[in-house]
């Protein structure tokens, strides 16, 4: 029984998939640098770190296949991208399509199960269907559900037409069509989170859909009490961008003068008025990780989002007010003692929930 795993990028699910399989496995990891590990001790720390990050899981039963020119191609791509999010996304989808094409040509004929990531599964699944019709084909949704993403961004752009970054990038039709073809060819689908699972079903995915386990959590702390009087410190999850609800957060500040908002800048951060607001402060890495002094975490994202601050809040007992899209891997029902869900673009609901949290 041979398992084929197509991993266009390093990811946690790769090791988990291999560990759950008892027989031989063929891992297509074009980025794999594990052959350099024996020589890493003599190399600079930055190169050692890169080798560690791009080393595929190995065992006696795993045959990993890499591509020699993969990293030079990534380096060339970085020069073209120049840190621009739209070019980074275009390059990411292009590398995934290249991984799919190569893996489709190299796929073992005796394969009995295939696991492939989003953007790197269409040709692989088609080849598996041809050479091993009984082989299971599991699709890992580790990029956004593009149909839903575009709809959400378009809706937000209508609500906030002055926000340039809401219109910055839309995946080309060929990329969207590739994703649809992948889940159509799959015999099972693993969605990244609850909102993604619902989006897949609503956009025509007929394969059985499961949800990937959330990252292992520490023992959850008890829910922190919020002072009924005095100032409140809020933290906006993710970059302070319109897609993450920065406009709704700004409306909250205007309505509640007792609140201070911690934000994180990044490409696409807007509106400018948010950063000029006297009660907005730049969050530190320590504040985002520990949430010390934070009363509430806000995640009013308008599209599928996986901000780490949400999971941090769940673990540390900090209440979260979020859209279903902003909850990422978090199940709102399972975390109902510390999660309050609102609709996207609803600043009034955000304000009401913050006030209600103070009065709880």
């Amino acid at each position: 029984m041979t398992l084929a795993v197509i991993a266009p990028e390093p990811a946690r699910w790769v090791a988990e998939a291999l560990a759950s399989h008892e027989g031989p496995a063929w891992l297509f990891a074009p980025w794999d640098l594990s052959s350099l590990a024996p020589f890493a001790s003599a190399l600079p720390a930055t190169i050692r770190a890169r080798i560690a990050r791009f080393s595929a899981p190995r065992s006696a039963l795993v045959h990993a296949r890499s591509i020699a020119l993969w990293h030079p191609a990534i380096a060339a791509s970085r020069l073209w991208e120049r840190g621009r999010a739209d070019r980074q996304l275009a390059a990411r989808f292009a590398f995934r399509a290249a991984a799919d094409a190569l893996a489709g040509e190299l796929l073992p004929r005796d394969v009995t199960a295939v696991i492939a990531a989003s953007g790197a599964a269409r040709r692989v699944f088609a080849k598996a269907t041809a050479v091993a019709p009984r082989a299971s084909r599991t699709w890992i949704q580790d990029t956004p559900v593009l149909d839903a993403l575009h709809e959400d961004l378009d809706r937000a752009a209508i609500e906030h037409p002055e926000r340039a970054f809401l219109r910055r990038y839309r995946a080309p039709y060929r990329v969207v069509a590739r994703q649809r073809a992948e889940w159509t060819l799959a015999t099972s689908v693993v969605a990244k989170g609850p909102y993604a699972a619902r989006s897949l079903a609503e956009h025509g995915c007929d394969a059985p859909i499961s949800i990937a386990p959330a990252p292992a959590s520490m023992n959850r702390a008890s829910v922190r009490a919020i002072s009924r009087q005095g100032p409140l410190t809020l933290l906006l999850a993710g970059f302070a961008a319109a897609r993450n609800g920065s406009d709704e957060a700004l409306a909250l500040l205007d309505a509640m003068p007792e609140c201070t908002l911690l934000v994180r800048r990044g490409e696409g951060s807007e509106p400018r008025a948010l950063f000029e607001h006297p009660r907005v402060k730049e969050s530190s890495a320590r504040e985002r990780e520990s949430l010390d002094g934070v009363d509430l975490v806000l995640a009013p994202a308008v599209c599928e989002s996986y901000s780490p601050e949400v999971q941090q809040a769940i673990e540390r007992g900090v209440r979260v007010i979020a859209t279903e899209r902003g909850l990422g891997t978090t199940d709102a029902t399972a975390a109902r003692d510390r999660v309050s869900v609102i609709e996207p673009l609803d600043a009034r609901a955000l304000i009401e929930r913050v006030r209600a949290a103070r009065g709880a």
Side-chain angles (χ1 to χ4, degrees), residues 296-300 319-323 338 340 342 349-350 353-354 357:
L296 289 165
V297 168
L298 311 180
R319 297 180 187 272
V320 178
I321 301 174
T323 61
R338 58 198 70 195
S340 181
I342 61 172
L350 181 64
R353 296 298 174 85
V354 171

Side-chain angles (χ1 to χ4, degrees), residues 58-344:
R58 295 275 187 166
S59 77
L61 293 175
V62 176
H63 171 70
R65 177 65 187 266
S66 61
I67 301 297
L69 296 178
W70 199 257
H71 284 274
I74 291 176
S77 178
R78 296 291 184 266
L79 294 175
W80 171 73
E81 295 165 23
R82 291 185 294 179
R84 289 178 46 179
D86 54 339
R87 292 190 177 187
Q88 289 172 339
L89 290 168
R92 188 182 188 197
F93 287 123
F95 274 100
R96 287 184 173 235
D100 182 29
L102 292 167
E105 292 297 322
L106 300 170
L107 189 71
R109 299 185 68 87
D110 63 343
V111 66
T112 55
V114 182
I115 303 176
S118 175
R122 183 173 64 86
R123 292 193 182 185
V124 168
F125 284 171
K127 179 67 174 292
T129 301
V131 302
R134 295 185 179 181
S136 63
R137 301 176 298 279
T138 301
W139 186 65
I140 305 295
Q141 180 257 323
D142 64 344
T143 62
V145 180
L146 295 173
D147 286 293
L149 177 67
H150 291 175
E151 291 170 2
D152 287 340
L153 289 174
D154 289 346
R155 190 179 302 113
I158 292 171
E159 181 72 18
H160 300 297
E162 68 281 11
R163 301 293 169 249
F165 283 93
L166 288 174
R167 301 181 184 275
R168 183 77 178 269
Y169 179 81
R170 298 293 185 275
Y173 177 75
R174 67 180 181 277
V175 176
V176 179
R178 169 185 287 274
Q179 189 179 74
R180 293 175 191 159
E182 289 176 339
W183 76 54
T184 300
L185 288 166
T187 58
S188 63
V189 167
V190 179
K192 194 171 182 181
Y195 175 69
R198 181 163 66 84
S199 297
L200 285 165
E202 290 176 350
H203 288 87
C205 178
D206 295 326
I209 302 171
S210 60
I211 299 174
S217 300
M218 301 178 295
N219 293 329
R220 288 186 181 180
S222 58
V223 180
R224 294 185 194 173
I226 300 174
S227 172
R228 292 179 179 270
Q229 296 180 345
L232 282 179
T233 299
L234 316 176
L235 184 139
L236 182 63
F239 290 118
R243 67 181 183 274
N244 287 328
S246 59
D247 284 280
E248 288 68 41
L250 180 59
L252 168 66
L253 285 177
D254 291 338
M256 299 186 67
E258 71 272 29
C259 292
T260 295
L261 183 67
L262 304 178
V263 301
R264 176 161 52 113
R265 289 178 184 264
E267 188 186 13
S269 287
E270 53 184 357
R272 182 176 177 179
L274 181 70
F275 305 101
E276 295 175 345
H277 197 285
R279 286 182 281 113
V280 169
K281 298 180 180 179
E282 186 86 17
S283 64
S284 66
R286 184 179 179 280
E287 286 172 322
R288 294 191 298 270
E289 292 170 4
S290 70
L291 300 181
D292 288 344
V294 173
D295 295 296
L296 289 165
V297 168
L298 311 180
V302 302
C303 58
E304 186 181 339
S305 176
Y306 299 89
S307 300
E309 295 90 346
V310 172
Q311 183 65 24
Q312 297 280 21
I314 298 299
E315 294 173 358
R316 287 163 172 73
V318 178
R319 297 180 187 272
V320 178
I321 301 174
T323 61
E324 186 184 8
R325 294 153 175 80
L327 284 175
T329 61
T330 299
D331 184 335
T333 301
R336 59 183 176 274
D337 63 326
R338 58 198 70 195
V339 168
S340 181
V341 178
I342 61 172
E343 291 299 312

